[in-house]
Amino acid sequence: MEAAPSHAMPVAPPVHIAIIMDGNGRWAKARGLPRTAGHKRGAEAVRRTVEAAREMGVSYLTLYGFSSENWKRPEGEVTDLMGLLRLYLRNEVKHLHKNGIRLKVIGDRQRLGADIVRLIEDAEAKTSGNTALTLVLALSYGGRQELVDAARKLARDVAEGRLSPEAIDEDAVGARLYTTGIPDPDLIIRTSGEQRISNFLLWQGAYAELVFIETLWPEFGRAELESAIHEFHGRDRRYGAAR
């Protein structure tokens, strides 16, 4: 998909855009660089994309930063990724706060280092009152595990008499997901040409429009975001209804 010119971007962007950031390793390999270099450039793409989303008026931006399956990567790469995460949380929070951006992190925090969890909690608390954009980082996140956790919460509520089995509906499930209080994504973008959702927002993305682009994540920016939004506005969203 070629990037559409800036002037072609529709005036109103989707309320919630989610992105599967893919291609850091391939970007680095193509240049004879270590994977770490790709991840560092990917972090720069995060800043560009967050700034562009805020300027366009996007209300929610969810970025798939580190999946539950990513723990299986080589130990050195995981260590480097956690180091980059620490740097991001230390260096970017002031920038986010200054620009009115609220940060929320979803995923299994038990597998993250205690210092990272503290940085996340501090960042969420500091930016909690901001309204320009909500940036959701999915870290140590897996869609299936999220559904398992929601099922456990429902089971506990039923067992302890707070909920009847007959009262379990879609709203009850949604209220127990990591994303409670956040609208479902309208648009899910995946970079690098891969065409799968890789255990990302399985429940929430049921009716999201999917846009797959060839651009590797380190090269992603405003033009690619505008192009995906342009394609989104060309879709006929019927939510299962007949034409």
Side-chain angles (χ1 to χ4, degrees):
M1 183 181 70
E2 295 183 0
S6 296
H7 60 76
M9 189 193 73
V11 174
V15 171
H16 185 176
I17 297 175
I19 304 178
I20 301 171
M21 305 180 293
D22 194 15
N24 290 347
R26 272 169 283 176
W27 181 91
K29 183 178 180 180
R31 290 160 179 77
L33 300 171
R35 291 178 66 88
T36 305
H39 295 314
K40 288 179 179 177
R41 286 296 292 266
E44 295 172 12
V46 168
R47 170 177 264 207
R48 286 197 304 271
T49 303
V50 170
E51 288 181 349
R54 181 185 61 82
E55 291 168 359
M56 293 176 192
V58 175
S59 297
Y60 298 86
L61 176 67
T62 297
L63 302 178
Y64 201 4
F66 189 85
S67 75
S68 53
E69 289 78 17
N70 287 159
W71 290 109
K72 300 174 185 176
R73 291 188 176 187
E75 183 178 351
E77 184 177 354
V78 171
T79 298
D80 289 340
L81 284 167
M82 291 299 109
L84 278 173
L85 176 57
R86 288 184 179 93
L87 283 174
Y88 183 84
L89 291 169
R90 288 177 182 139
N91 299 337
E92 289 295 311
V93 173
K94 287 183 180 179
H95 178 75
L96 296 176
H97 190 48
K98 180 181 178 181
N99 286 283
I101 298 170
R102 175 171 70 122
L103 178 67
K104 179 177 175 58
V105 175
I106 60 173
D108 180 9
R109 299 187 187 187
Q110 295 181 1
R111 300 190 70 177
L112 298 172
D115 64 318
I116 291 177
V117 173
R118 284 194 297 272
L119 286 169
I120 289 171
E121 291 172 348
D122 290 347
E124 288 181 326
K126 182 172 184 177
T127 63
S128 62
N130 295 338
T131 59
L133 167 70
T134 294
L135 171 62
V136 183
L137 292 182
L139 302 173
S140 189
Y141 172 87
R144 288 183 174 181
Q145 185 60 49
E146 180 180 23
L147 292 172
V148 168
D149 289 347
R152 286 174 177 162
K153 291 175 184 175
L154 288 167
R156 280 195 297 268
D157 287 343
V158 170
E160 296 171 9
R162 292 190 296 270
L163 184 70
S164 70
E166 292 75 21
I168 298 174
D169 57 13
E170 291 187 12
D171 289 338
V173 175
R176 289 161 177 82
L177 297 175
Y178 303 153
T179 54
T180 180
I182 296 174
D184 291 342
D186 303 288
L187 168 64
I188 296 177
I189 303 166
R190 181 168 187 149
T191 60
S192 86
E194 301 291 346
Q195 298 187 17
R196 56 182 177 273
I197 57 173
S198 296
N199 202 19
F200 182 51
L201 300 179
L202 298 179
W203 176 280
Q204 301 90 332
Y207 284 102
E209 295 298 322
L210 308 178
V211 172
F212 302 105
I213 67 174
E214 296 293 329
T215 304
L216 300 176
W217 177 249
E219 298 176 339
F220 191 91
R222 185 184 182 105
E224 289 74 24
L225 184 60
E226 288 182 357
S227 180
I229 292 173
H230 181 71
E231 181 167 340
F232 167 83
H233 277 281
R235 303 281 180 88
D236 180 14
R237 305 188 77 201
R238 300 191 301 278
Y239 300 97
R243 287 182 181 275

